[in-house]
Amino acid sequence: MLTELIDKRKNMLTDSEQHKENRNELNALASTYARERNQLNGQTREYVDEAQKHKELRDENNRAVQAIKVERNQLNEKANALFEDIDEYKKEHGAINNSRGIKEVQKRIDKLEMDQQTRVMNTDKERELIDQIKQLRHQIKEQEEEIEQNKEVHTKLQEAREFRRAASELHATVTEKAELAQQHHDLMVECYRNADKSREAADEGHRKFVEAQEAADAEHNQFIACQKELRDYDKVIGGIRKKGKKTRVNKEQKAVKEEAEQVFQQFRAGEKLTTDDILLLQRARLI
C-alpha cells in the first residue's frame, strides 16, 4: 500500500509541475497580448487626436471661406451697382446701340469660365468656348473704351474694376481655403479610418489576453489542487511510516525484554554476567 501511495504521489508531483509550467507560459503569453493591446490603444488615441486636429483646421478654413465669401459678395455687389449705373448712362445717351450691358456680359463670361473649369469637353469644344470668352471680353473692352470719355463714368468704371479685382483676389483665397478644408477633411477621415482599424486590432488583442489569462487561472487552480493532494499524500505516507517505525520499535523492545529476562534468570541462578549482559539488563530496566 505504501509503495502504491508513493507512486501516486510521484505522478501527482509530475502533474503539479506540468500545471505550474503551463500557468507560467500562459501568464507570459497574456502579458504579451496585454502589451500589444495597450500599444494599439495608444495608437488609436494618437489617430483620434490627429483626426481632431484636422477637424479643427477643416472647420477653421470653412469658417474663413464663409467669411471671405461674404466680403467677396459685397465687393461684387458694389461692382455690379456701378456697372448698372454705367449701363443706365449708356442707355440714356445711346452709347451701346441695343448691345448687352457690361454687367450682363460679365455674367455670361463667368458662366462660360465655370463651364470650362467643371465640364468635360473635347479640344475643339474647349477652343470654341475660349473664343467666345475672348469675344465677350472684347465687347466689354469696346464698351468701356466708348464710355471712358465721360469723366464721371470713367471714375465709376475704375472703381468697379477695382472692386471686381479685389473680389477676384478674394475668390482665389476662397478657393485656396476651400481646398485646404477639403485636404484636412480627407486627412481627418483617413485618421478615423486608421483609428477604427487599430481599435479593432486592440479589441482582438484584448480577447486573446482574456483567453490566455483564463487558461492560466485554470492551470493555477489545477496546480493548487495538486499541491493540496500532495500534502494529503504526505500526511498519509508519513502516518504509515510512523506507524511502521513504532511497530518495529515495539518488536525490538519486546525481543530485548525477552532476552534480558533470560539473562536475568541466569543471573539469579548464579551464573556470571558479562558486560554485554549487564548492558542488556539496563536497557530492559531490570537492574
Side-chain angles (χ1 to χ4, degrees):
M1 180 178 178
L2 180 60
T3 301
E4 181 180 355
L5 287 173
I6 291 174
D7 289 340
K8 288 183 177 180
R9 184 189 183 282
K10 184 178 179 181
N11 292 333
M12 184 59 63
L13 181 60
T14 301
D15 290 344
S16 175
E17 291 300 320
Q18 185 61 55
H19 287 306
K20 180 181 178 180
E21 182 179 349
N22 292 342
R23 179 201 65 187
N24 292 343
E25 289 178 355
L26 287 165
N27 276 330
L29 185 61
S31 296
T32 299
Y33 287 140
R35 184 166 55 253
E36 293 175 352
R37 176 203 61 193
N38 294 341
Q39 289 174 349
L40 287 165
N41 280 331
Q43 192 176 67
T44 299
R45 286 191 292 272
E46 289 177 1
Y47 280 132
V48 171
D49 290 342
E50 187 176 356
Q52 185 62 33
K53 291 178 182 177
H54 286 301
K55 180 178 182 295
E56 291 173 358
L57 290 171
R58 180 202 64 184
D59 294 343
E60 179 182 332
N61 279 285
N62 279 332
R63 287 192 296 269
V65 165
Q66 296 304 317
I68 296 171
K69 277 184 176 180
V70 171
E71 188 177 355
R72 180 201 62 187
N73 293 341
Q74 290 174 347
L75 290 170
N76 278 326
E77 288 174 2
K78 291 178 180 179
N80 291 336
L82 289 171
F83 281 127
E84 286 178 0
D85 290 345
I86 294 170
D87 288 341
E88 286 297 324
Y89 172 84
K90 291 189 297 182
K91 289 178 183 179
E92 291 175 1
H93 295 80
I96 57 176
N97 297 322
N98 296 324
S99 62
R100 289 180 294 180
I102 295 176
K103 179 181 176 183
E104 185 179 350
V105 176
Q106 184 62 49
K107 286 183 178 180
R108 177 63 179 164
I109 292 173
D110 292 342
K111 182 179 184 307
L112 292 176
E113 287 180 340
M114 182 61 69
D115 290 343
Q116 182 186 6
Q117 294 174 8
T118 58
R119 289 175 56 188
V120 178
M121 59 186 71
N122 57 40
T123 304
D124 292 338
K125 184 66 176 176
E126 187 173 7
R127 188 179 294 112
E128 180 183 345
L129 194 64
I130 292 172
D131 289 340
Q132 291 182 38
I133 293 173
K134 286 182 178 179
Q135 291 175 10
L136 291 171
R137 289 191 184 281
H138 184 68
Q139 289 182 24
I140 291 178
K141 186 177 180 181
E142 286 182 343
Q143 292 186 45
E144 289 177 348
E145 289 176 351
E146 182 180 353
I147 62 176
E148 275 186 338
Q149 298 175 5
N150 182 286
K151 185 176 181 180
E152 181 181 352
V153 174
H154 176 75
T155 302
K156 288 185 177 182
L157 184 58
Q158 291 298 107
E159 290 178 357
R161 286 174 177 171
E162 181 60 27
F163 286 139
R164 187 74 74 187
R165 184 197 61 77
S168 179
E169 290 180 355
L170 288 178
H171 180 72
T173 304
V174 166
T175 302
E176 179 184 349
K177 295 289 185 182
E179 289 175 353
L180 282 173
Q182 185 62 46
Q183 289 175 10
H184 286 298
H185 175 77
D186 293 341
L187 289 171
M188 178 195 72
V189 171
E190 182 180 356
C191 286
Y192 277 131
R193 188 179 295 115
N194 290 334
D196 289 339
K197 290 180 181 178
S198 61
R199 186 181 293 109
E200 289 176 3
D203 290 343
E204 177 63 16
H206 181 68
R207 183 188 66 79
K208 291 180 179 179
F209 160 75
V210 171
E211 287 182 355
Q213 191 64 63
E214 289 178 347
D217 291 343
E219 291 292 339
H220 179 70
N221 291 335
Q222 291 292 326
F223 169 74
I224 295 301
C226 288
Q227 289 293 305
K228 182 178 181 301
E229 290 197 35
L230 284 172
R231 288 194 295 272
D232 292 341
Y233 276 123
D234 288 341
K235 288 180 181 178
V236 174
I237 291 171
I240 292 175
R241 283 175 172 171
K242 185 176 180 180
K243 184 177 181 181
K245 182 179 180 181
K246 185 177 181 181
T247 300
R248 286 196 304 273
V249 170
N250 289 338
K251 287 181 179 180
E252 290 176 357
Q253 289 177 346
K254 183 177 180 182
V256 168
K257 187 174 181 180
E258 289 176 353
E259 185 179 357
E261 286 178 350
Q262 291 179 0
V263 171
F264 186 71
Q265 292 299 327
Q266 292 173 0
F267 171 70
R268 292 181 65 183
E271 292 187 13
K272 191 175 181 179
L273 299 178
T274 65
T275 302
D276 290 339
D277 291 338
I278 294 172
L279 291 174
L280 179 63
L281 291 173
Q282 288 177 343
R283 286 176 59 192
R285 297 181 180 180
L286 293 177
I287 58 174

